[in-house]
Amino acid sequence: MAADTKARVKERTEELKNTYHVTPGLAVVIVGDDPASRVYVNNKKKACEAVGFVSEEYALPAETTQEELLALVETLNNKPDINGILVQLPLPKHLDDKAVIAAINPQKDVDAFHAVNVGKIMLGEYDFLPCTPAGVMEMLHSYQIPVEGKECVVIGRSNIVGKPMGMLLLHENGTVTICHSRTKNLAEVCRRADILVAAVGIPKFVKADMVKEGAVVIDVGMDRDENGKLCGDVDFENVKEKCSFITPVPGGVGPMTIATLMKNTLKACKLQNNIAD
């Protein structure tokens, strides 16, 4: 699915280049040397090359100040050949990620984290969707899994995944429950779910006894198990016996997240150049 999405983006990018002499450009800013962030940034760079985008990477030292980072964001806001700006999170502790996100021009906010874009998602009148929840919805559509009328449970309430995920399921007429660390009887709530989305950041947190027979299980986690091996928030081996669909980690939601980022950057380029879809 991710490959199909990127193929469509590549095709449209070729049209933009040939018809309008415009090439989408994405700037990725990474501060410090978090190994997981480095992997994500490299994957984004490869995806840009694959679809024909211009990609610029700004790798800043961990001791970069708030002023220096905000000055770079402002420079990128004013660069006409950069259509998307992505500041890789998490930032080092001394930096204020909220202020950095607020400084990005909403039209270049291809992560859809800016308050303007979050508000538009709430109203259902958005330009961009956050890449991971949008990737999850694309998966449900591709496998023709209806959301309407279904009990949908999201574990995790982050601004990046949990909250927007709940909102997108709600827009498609799902009955949505968002769970978190203070939820009472969590396992019981999860067992009601026809569609269960795990975005909690704890390795193998969702056990088989938390999953209803035949449920659709989406694992957004990217964790390491006790042996240092990549795994998700779902105990895949035991849960897969009970559900109708389940996403693996790695190779499930991750590739769709990056494919959606490419879609968002293409859309940003068209918006900024007044090119119709």
Side-chain angles (χ1 to χ4, degrees):
M1 280 168 52
D4 285 351
T5 301
K6 286 191 286 197
R8 288 197 300 274
V9 170
K10 184 177 183 178
E11 201 177 293
R12 192 72 181 96
T13 300
E14 286 303 312
E15 285 174 28
L16 284 186
K17 287 178 182 175
N18 296 333
T19 311
Y20 299 97
H21 310 293
V22 165
T23 304
L26 176 67
V28 179
V29 179
I30 178 170
V31 185
D33 48 12
D34 179 75
S37 291
R38 175 40 65 195
V39 170
Y40 289 136
V41 168
N42 289 349
N43 288 342
K44 287 163 185 171
K45 207 188 313 187
K46 277 186 211 145
C48 282
E49 281 166 24
V51 299
F53 289 178
V54 169
S55 92
E56 293 183 2
E57 182 189 307
Y58 296 84
L60 308 179
E63 57 276 11
T64 298
T65 66
Q66 184 80 7
E67 290 69 28
E68 287 166 336
L69 184 51
L70 290 174
L72 172 59
V73 168
E74 191 51 33
T75 300
L76 296 172
N77 279 340
N78 294 319
K79 272 191 94 167
D81 54 337
I82 290 297
N83 306 109
I85 302 168
L86 187 151
V87 178
Q88 186 65 45
L89 301 176
L91 290 170
K93 293 274 187 285
H94 67 283
L95 296 171
D96 179 356
D97 54 359
K98 288 189 179 74
V100 173
I101 289 164
I104 297 171
N105 177 341
Q107 278 213 325
K108 295 191 176 191
D109 167 40
V110 286
D111 261 334
F113 293 163
H114 191 287
V116 166
N117 290 324
V118 173
K120 287 181 169 184
I121 292 159
M122 193 81 176
L123 297 172
E125 297 167 5
Y126 42 78
D127 296 317
F128 314 115
L129 291 173
C131 300
T132 299
V136 169
M137 297 310 290
E138 190 82 19
M139 287 170 134
L140 294 172
H141 298 154
S142 285
Y143 283 88
Q144 295 171 329
I145 297 165
V147 174
E148 186 161 340
K150 294 290 170 69
E151 285 271 358
C152 305
V153 173
V154 179
I155 315 174
R157 54 174 163 182
S158 73
N159 293 333
I160 293 173
V161 179
K163 288 178 191 170
M165 188 75 255
M167 194 48 61
L168 297 191
L169 290 163
L170 191 59
H171 284 324
E172 297 206 5
N173 302 318
T175 300
V176 181
T177 305
I178 296 181
C179 298
H180 44 77
S181 58
R182 305 285 198 285
T183 299
K184 292 198 170 81
N185 307 322
L186 179 65
E188 201 180 293
V189 176
C190 291
R191 276 194 294 274
R192 295 203 305 256
D194 302 305
I195 298 170
L196 179 64
V197 182
V200 73
I202 301 171
K204 301 182 184 176
F205 178 80
V206 176
K207 307 291 185 209
D209 65 359
M210 296 167 70
V211 177
K212 179 164 92 170
E213 200 71 46
V216 174
V217 178
I218 312 267
D219 191 347
V220 178
M222 183 61 84
D223 314 303
R224 299 228 171 237
D225 65 13
E226 61 283 3
N227 306 313
K229 193 167 172 260
L230 272 179
C231 69
D233 289 353
V234 177
D235 181 4
F236 184 88
E237 287 308 314
N238 294 311
V239 171
K240 71 177 184 183
E241 305 304 327
K242 285 189 83 171
C243 50
S244 54
F245 290 90
I246 185 169
T247 63
V249 176
V253 175
M256 284 307 297
T257 297
I258 290 182
T260 306
L261 173 65
M262 299 299 107
K263 254 171 75 170
N264 283 355
T265 305
L266 176 67
K267 183 156 192 192
C269 178
K270 290 194 282 195
L271 282 173
Q272 289 158 42
N273 288 283
N274 298 314
I275 297 166
D277 260 336

